[in-house]
Amino acid sequence: MYLPSPIVLQNPFPQLDSVDFEDATIDDKETYLKQLKKWQKKMLQVQQAYFHQKRRAIVVFEGWDASGKGGAIRRITEKLDPRGVVVHPISAPTEKEQSKHYLYRFQARLPEAGTIAIFDRSWYGRVLVERIEGFAEESEWQRAYQEINEFERSLIDDGARIIKIFMHISPEEQLKRFQERLNNPVKRWKLTTEDIRNRGKWDEYKEATDQLFEFTSTESAPWQIISANHKWYARIEVLKTVVQLLGEGVDTDPPELDPKVTKAAYKALGIRPEND
């Protein structure tokens, strides 16, 4: 009888206090743009490889409010074929979703073969916001660690690749970004009363986040903490991390030209590959 793969927790597991903000910077815009172009091109190669090989990828984003999740996601998807990537911005569940198991609404958004699904917030809300704000009973959110591990294991065993990103900023940087959003009409919509309320519970969220890493950072789906005080650095680091992890064990070289296509192109159009 075939059995599911084992769930092995990382030891040691990631922790927020281990993140270095001081050296996580890119000071030169030219360097940033050069790196951005490089890693976006590699990201497109990864997407094409996943499409041709019918692979599935799931990229999960969690992090502090105003930590740059949206900006990082935008740089990942900017040069991709939109037909092969879907971004799911996760907010509060609907009344219908609340009447079902909390994983239901995420199962309904899983990627099909050859595509990438990006979750801006995720099922980890169960052990973060739902835990801290009292939307889930203690027995429910404590049980969720194992439920989530089993959920992700089932996806990995079925061939999906899962990348989990946590965008980490300091309280001082968050306050600076809140101030910017409050004063910038273009960004003002991003600041909500929930953001302000959540900031008042920073220590509680920090404890919950470190426990999230302790109980759900597995060998097959480890958490990646991104130092995000500097936006340019964070965007490049996210791109690099996603490209490298999705590319592990995957041939990202363009596939060979189908001989049938070559033959049909010459016969119908009189053209052939330049190096043929």
Side-chain angles (χ1 to χ4, degrees):
M1 180 174 67
Y2 290 101
L3 298 175
S5 61
I7 297 173
V8 181
L9 296 177
Q10 274 194 310
N11 185 22
F13 55 87
Q15 291 180 290
L16 293 178
D17 285 341
S18 66
V19 173
D20 176 25
F21 291 122
E22 188 170 343
D23 295 328
T25 62
I26 297 177
D27 298 323
D28 180 74
K29 187 173 184 180
E30 184 178 349
T31 300
Y32 163 66
L33 293 176
K34 184 178 180 180
Q35 289 291 307
L36 182 64
K37 182 178 180 180
K38 169 188 173 180
W39 289 104
Q40 285 183 330
K41 182 178 179 180
K42 289 180 178 291
M43 186 68 219
L44 178 59
Q45 292 175 326
V46 167
Q47 184 195 34
Q48 292 174 339
Y50 272 65
F51 170 77
H52 289 297
Q53 298 171 34
K54 304 301 179 186
R55 295 176 179 268
R56 290 168 292 147
I58 299 165
V59 184
V60 173
F61 277 87
E62 293 288 348
W64 300 102
D65 297 322
S67 59
K69 296 183 295 299
I73 291 170
R74 187 157 63 250
R75 271 67 186 186
I76 289 176
T77 60
E78 194 171 24
K79 301 299 182 181
L80 300 185
D81 188 325
R83 296 170 295 181
V85 59
V86 180
V87 178
H88 300 290
I90 302 301
S91 55
T94 64
E95 185 176 349
K96 177 182 178 181
E97 290 170 338
Q98 287 178 342
S99 68
K100 300 184 178 184
H101 192 279
Y102 71 95
L103 289 174
Y104 159 80
R105 62 183 178 137
F106 304 106
Q107 292 168 331
R109 292 173 169 86
L110 295 176
E112 59 188 65
T115 67
I116 300 171
I118 299 176
F119 288 86
D120 184 355
R121 303 290 190 187
S122 68
W123 41 91
Y124 284 97
R126 188 68 159 190
V127 294
L128 290 173
V129 65
E130 293 185 34
R131 165 185 172 173
I132 301 303
E133 303 303 329
F135 299 137
E137 299 290 337
E138 184 174 0
S139 60
E140 292 175 324
W141 63 257
Q142 287 196 357
R143 187 175 74 226
Y145 296 121
Q146 183 67 19
E147 293 172 339
I148 288 170
N149 287 340
E150 291 173 353
F151 172 56
E152 291 179 353
R153 173 177 64 180
S154 70
L155 296 175
I156 293 168
D157 284 355
D158 197 44
R161 185 71 59 88
I162 301 176
I163 312 299
K164 301 187 301 198
I165 304 286
F166 189 92
M167 307 286 285
H168 183 36
I169 58 176
S170 66
E172 296 78 16
E173 179 63 22
Q174 186 190 62
L175 182 60
K176 177 182 173 182
R177 295 183 185 184
F178 280 3
Q179 179 74 23
E180 179 188 7
R181 290 181 176 187
L182 188 65
N183 292 310
N184 187 338
V186 177
K187 296 184 177 182
R188 193 167 292 159
W189 63 274
K190 293 183 177 182
L191 183 62
T192 68
T193 55
E194 291 181 359
D195 296 336
I196 298 170
R197 179 197 66 200
N198 292 346
R199 178 176 169 80
K201 299 181 179 180
W202 183 279
D203 290 342
E204 293 178 65
Y205 274 100
K206 182 178 181 296
E207 180 184 8
T209 300
D210 277 331
Q211 288 184 359
L212 174 155
F213 297 145
E214 180 179 2
F215 299 127
T216 68
S217 194
T218 62
E219 293 290 344
S220 55
W223 276 100
Q224 313 295 324
I225 308 178
I226 303 297
S227 178
N229 265 9
H230 191 281
K231 291 182 180 180
W232 289 350
Y233 174 88
R235 292 166 184 170
I236 299 302
E237 198 65 20
V238 167
L239 261 169
K240 186 190 304 184
T241 299
V242 172
V243 166
Q244 291 176 341
L245 292 178
L246 289 184
E248 284 184 359
V250 177
D251 182 3
T252 58
D253 292 331
E256 296 292 332
L257 188 61
D258 188 338
K260 294 180 181 178
V261 174
T262 303
K263 183 177 180 180
Y266 182 71
K267 183 177 181 180
L269 306 173
I271 59 175
R272 64 175 74 223
E274 292 181 1
N275 297 325
D276 193 17

